[in-house]
Amino acid sequence: MFKKWMTVLSKCALFRGINPEELNIVLACLNPKVSSYDKNESVTVFGEKFSGLGVVLAGEVVVVKDNAAGNRVIMAVNGPGEMFGEMAAFSEDGVWPATVVARGACTVMLLPAGKIVGSCERSCGSHKMLITNMLIIVSDKALMLHRKVEYLAIRSMRGKISTFLLEQYKRTGKDTFMMPLKRNELADFLNVSRPSLSREMSRMRDEGVIDFHRDSIKIKQVDVLRSMAG
Amino acid sequence: MFKKWMTVLSKCALFRGINPEELNIVLACLNPKVSSYDKNESVTVFGEKFSGLGVVLAGEVVVVKDNAAGNRVIMAVNGPGEMFGEMAAFSEDGVWPATVVARGACTVMLLPAGKIVGSCERSCGSHKMLITNMLIIVSDKALMLHRKVEYLAIRSMRGKISTFLLEQYKRTGKDTFMMPLKRNELADFLNVSRPSLSREMSRMRDEGVIDFHRDSIKIKQVDVLRSMAG
DNA sequence: TGCTTTTGGTAACCGTGGCTACCGTTTTTA
DNA sequence: TAAAAACGGTAGCCACGGTTACCAAAAGCA
C-alpha cells in the first residue's frame, strides 16, 4: 500500500529506528492520507482546523506566515522526508499555526495527530519509538525556532547578512558557494526589504568583504564578516 | 525527601497526571539536584555543558540571550513550577542554548535528561506519562517561540507595542491593567531601545489611543490599537 | 531619615533602512 | 521563439527609531 513511498519514509525522522516490516504495520495503524498539490497551491491554511502531522513525500513545500501588515515571513522550506505541523500536533487549539504552500508540484502525507499518542489497539511495539522520535523532532524544531529568534533579534542588517553568510560558509566548508535562497526569499527570511538587502550586499562588495553574482557568492574576508556578525 | 516541594511539583506540567505516591517514586528514579541562588546569580550559562532539565521550586528566574552586539533579549520569566531547558534536554550538542539568571533569591531543581527517556530499571509505570507530558511541554514551547518570532517579525514599533497591549488586554479582559514588565524589560522583549519605546508610548498617549502612568496602563481606543497592530 | 540606585520620561541629532520607481537580465510559458 | 513574468541591482527621498544625555520620581538601603 505504501510501498511506493517506503524509501522516502525510511528517511523520515519520525520513523527512525523502525524497520520496513514494522513500518508497514505502524502506517496501517496511523491511517494516513496522501494528497498531491500543484505549484503555489495551499496545503494548509493558517487558522484552519488542524488536519494532521505532515510528511513531504515528493517535491517541496514552503512554510510561511503572513502578518496582518502584509509581510510574508518564510519559516522553512521542506523537501522529501521532512515534516511540518509537528508543533500543532499536540497543541490544544487544534488549528494550523502557519500556512504551507507547495513550492512546486508535490505530494504530502497527513497523519492524524491523535493516532500517534493514542495507544494502539493492536499494541504495536513501535509506538513508543514513535513517541520518542516525536519528542526529539519537536525539540529540534524548538531549537530551530530559537535560532530563528536569534536571527530576528539582530538589529542591524549587516549583522543579519553576515550571520547568514557565515552559517552557509560553515555548512558548506567553502568560501564560494550558491545561495540557497533567492534575494526575495532571503529578504523575507532576514525580515528586511529586498532593495535594502541588495544595497547592503553591494556595499559589502564595494568594501571587498564579499563578492557575488546572482546566486554565486564568495566570502573574501571571513574575519571582517565575523566582526560584523556581532 | 521532596515533601517540602510536593505542592509546587504537583503543579509542574511535567508531573501532570501523576499522583503524590507515584511522584515520590518517579523522583527517586530521576535523581534530581536541588540548588539555591541569589539575585542576579547565573543558574546556567550559554554554551556550557547541559546540566539537566530545570524546574523552578521557589522564586523567579529569567531566561536571557546575549547576542554578540551586546543586546540582551529576554526569552522568558519563569516562576515556581515552571521549567527551563526543555528544548536542550533532547538536543545532540548538549550545551545550554540560553543563560538563566535568578531574578531574586530562588531555588531550582535540575533533572538529568537521560533519566527521563531512558527506561526505568524498576520499570515504574509513570515513565510513559512523563514522556507524553514532556512531548506536550516541548510542543507548547515551540509554539511559544513561534509566537515570539511573530513578535520580532513585526517591523514597526507601533505594531509591536499595539500587539503586546492587545495581548494583555485579551489576557486580563480589562481595559485598565498593570504592565507585567518594566519599561526596560519590555524594550528588551520587543527588541527595541528603551528611550524609543518611551517616546512612542508617549506619542500614542498624546494621540489619545492609550493612557498610562508608570506600570498602570489604560487602553482608550481598542479599534485604533488593532489597526496599528498590523 | 537622608543617601544611593533604579526606573522612566524627554529632547536633539542623525544614520539605517523602508519605500517607490525604473531598468536590464534571466527564466518561464505559450 | 516571441511574449510575459520573475528576478536582481540601483537611486533618491525621508521617516522611524537608535544613541546619548539629562532630569525627576520612586524605590531600596543605611
Side-chain angles (χ1 to χ4, degrees), chain A residues 167-178:
Chain A
E167 198 165 282
Q168 296 308 312
Y169 170 64
K170 199 169 140 197
R171 220 169 55 84
T172 61
K174 296 175 181 170
D175 61 359
T176 303
F177 50 83
M178 290 295 166

Side-chain angles (χ1 to χ4, degrees), chain B residues 6-23:
Chain B
M6 274 304 173
T7 317
V8 178
L9 289 176
S10 66
K11 283 177 200 149
C12 179
L14 182 60
F15 304 114
R16 187 174 294 164
I18 299 176
N19 65 50
E21 303 94 73
E22 280 176 333
L23 182 49

Side-chain angles (χ1 to χ4, degrees), chain B residues 155-157 192-193 195-196 199-200 214:
Chain B
R155 304 281 233 282
S156 79
M157 206 158 99
V192 297
S193 81
S196 298
R199 173 180 35 181
E200 200 61 36
R214 294 253 157 189

Side-chain angles (χ1 to χ4, degrees), chain A residues 182-184 194-195 198 202 205 212 214:
Chain A
K182 301 182 195 299
R183 290 290 184 281
N184 236 326
R194 207 254 323 148
S198 269
S202 296
R205 180 178 51 194
F212 66 92
R214 292 254 160 187

Side-chain angles (χ1 to χ4, degrees), chain B residues 2 14-15 26-34 49-55 85 88-90 96 109-118 127 130 134:
Chain B
F2 301 105
L14 182 60
F15 304 114
V26 172
L27 281 174
C29 240
L30 294 174
N31 190 33
K33 196 186 141 208
V34 177
K49 189 162 163 284
F50 184 71
S51 41
L53 179 61
V55 180
F90 299 98
W96 282 100
M109 186 171 92
L110 288 174
L111 304 162
K115 298 264 182 175
I116 296 172
V117 273
H127 247 104
L130 214 62
M134 197 63 209

